[in-house]
Amino acid sequence: MKMKRILAMLLACTMTACAFASCGDDEDGDKEEKTSKSDKAGDEEEEEDEKDDEENEDEEEETKKSEEEEEETEEETEEETEEEEEEETTKKSSKKSSDTELVGEWSLGEIQDGMIGGLVIKDDGNISIRVDASEMIYFDYPSLYISGMEIAEDYIDYDGDVISVNMEGTDLLTLTRSTGSGSTSNYDGTYKFTSGMMAEGMDTAFSDSLGGTSGSTSIIGIIDGKSFFIDFEDLIQYTDNGDGTMEFSGSTDIFGDLDANGTLEYEIDGDTLTLTDENGDEHELTRWE
């Protein structure tokens, strides 16, 4: 089942990150020998003060030119973005599910080692694969824990929108908030994996092991207290026929023995969703609590 391969992939990525973090911690040495960020900032300010007036004038002229070029680029980008948003809205509206009860978060139950996997069925015709990764990695403000090992706040930069975990000059993990506004007193929110060892590892594993194309799938992290969910965005596509049947395509072998390539019957009974293929095989999901 593909879900188990996804969990194995996540485990491998977190273990690699954990090993790297452990090595970085061992090489840390005496903290008094480290140069603080504030000291570095002070040195840079002193260097800037030593620049002569002639250099400052040149910089001002270059800045004016750069600002004019940026304004032209922004105008062109805004026009392109509006066109793309209109096209995307048209695509989504044409696929919208006719069954509002079908849309939501559905659990496939425990997949491996206490970890839970499931589906996020959207009303735009896409389905994301969700993994509860809290057993392997979670945030407990202001620290990060990977396989039980604490990465302290000394290695984490957070401005309310971007979480950057950097060890010994290496980007271990960078998450950028994708919705809403954040608080500097906790990490809660929805983020996109934008860079770092873990993001690159998952993307490589996805393209090599799961038959995807590198960079083609957005990987989303959802932080809720000590819970950490990872979504692989829009791996499955579906069409709700409006008669109790669905057409599936994409990474449908997530269901294992269930033949999900083609038409499936579905039935919703309270918080239970039952999918039945043409062979009569069933797969039962429950609403994610």
Side-chain angles (χ1 to χ4, degrees):
M1 182 183 281
K2 183 171 288 189
M3 180 64 80
K4 288 188 177 181
R5 292 197 310 190
I6 290 176
L7 290 176
M9 170 186 68
L10 290 175
L11 181 60
C13 290
T14 53
M15 291 303 293
T16 299
C18 183
F20 180 84
S22 179
C23 291
D25 189 56
D26 291 340
E27 295 171 0
D28 192 26
D30 190 350
K31 289 186 177 179
E32 293 180 356
E33 296 177 0
K34 288 187 175 182
T35 302
S36 68
K37 293 182 180 178
S38 60
D39 291 339
K40 290 182 180 178
D43 293 341
E44 290 176 356
E45 290 177 357
E46 291 178 1
E47 291 177 1
E48 289 295 327
D49 291 339
E50 294 175 358
K51 291 184 178 180
D52 55 34
D53 294 336
E54 184 176 344
E55 290 179 330
N56 288 334
E57 291 176 358
D58 292 339
E59 289 177 356
E60 290 176 358
E61 291 179 0
E62 292 177 358
T63 299
K64 290 179 180 179
K65 292 180 181 179
S66 176
E67 289 176 348
E68 292 175 355
E69 292 174 354
E70 287 178 358
E71 289 177 358
E72 294 177 357
T73 301
E74 287 176 358
E75 291 177 357
E76 294 175 357
T77 302
E78 288 176 357
E79 293 176 358
E80 293 174 357
T81 301
E82 289 176 357
E83 292 176 358
E84 291 174 355
E85 288 177 348
E86 289 177 359
E87 292 177 359
E88 186 65 22
T89 300
T90 301
K91 290 179 181 178
K92 289 185 176 182
S93 62
S94 65
K95 293 181 177 180
K96 189 174 179 65
S97 172
S98 60
D99 191 335
T100 56
E101 290 188 358
L102 184 62
V103 174
E105 302 166 0
W106 298 94
S107 171
L108 288 163
E110 182 177 334
I111 304 299
Q112 182 177 332
D113 299 331
M115 290 179 288
I116 298 173
L119 309 177
V120 180
I121 301 178
K122 306 176 183 180
D123 66 355
D124 64 357
N126 286 299
I127 300 176
S128 298
I129 296 174
R130 172 168 294 179
V131 175
D132 183 350
S134 307
E135 291 289 325
M136 295 184 292
I137 176 173
Y138 68 90
F139 292 84
D140 186 8
Y141 187 86
S143 299
L144 166 66
Y145 290 83
I146 301 178
S147 297
M149 188 189 76
E150 179 183 7
I151 296 179
E153 61 179 313
D154 293 349
Y155 300 102
I156 303 175
D157 286 329
Y158 178 58
D159 62 3
D161 291 317
V162 178
I163 304 173
S164 179
V165 184
N166 190 292
M167 301 198 69
E168 303 300 325
T170 297
D171 181 6
L172 188 66
L173 173 65
T174 297
L175 298 172
T176 302
R177 189 179 296 275
S178 58
T179 59
S181 58
S183 167
T184 53
S185 62
N186 63 68
Y187 294 129
D188 290 359
T190 300
Y191 299 80
K192 181 176 181 179
F193 282 75
T194 48
S195 66
M197 280 180 61
M198 291 189 65
E200 293 171 2
M202 284 190 285
D203 182 66
T204 299
F206 172 75
S207 58
D208 290 348
S209 302
L210 305 181
T213 302
S214 179
S216 65
T217 298
S218 294
I219 303 175
I220 303 297
I222 303 171
I223 303 172
D224 183 9
K226 292 184 180 180
S227 295
F228 187 55
F229 301 91
I230 298 177
D231 282 8
F232 293 83
E233 290 276 88
D234 304 342
L235 292 187
I236 301 172
Q237 289 70 50
Y238 78 97
T239 299
D240 179 7
N241 296 324
D243 60 357
T245 64
M246 304 168 66
E247 304 289 336
F248 276 77
S249 62
S251 302
T252 54
D253 58 339
I254 186 72
F255 297 107
D257 295 334
L258 189 72
D259 184 6
N261 264 315
T263 303
L264 281 79
E265 295 180 2
Y266 74 89
E267 180 180 358
I268 300 175
D269 182 8
D271 291 331
T272 301
L273 168 63
T274 303
L275 300 175
T276 306
D277 66 16
E278 295 177 348
N279 300 319
D281 294 325
E282 296 183 351
H283 206 115
E284 193 173 278
L285 301 89
T286 56
R287 286 198 185 276
W288 210 309
E289 296 180 357

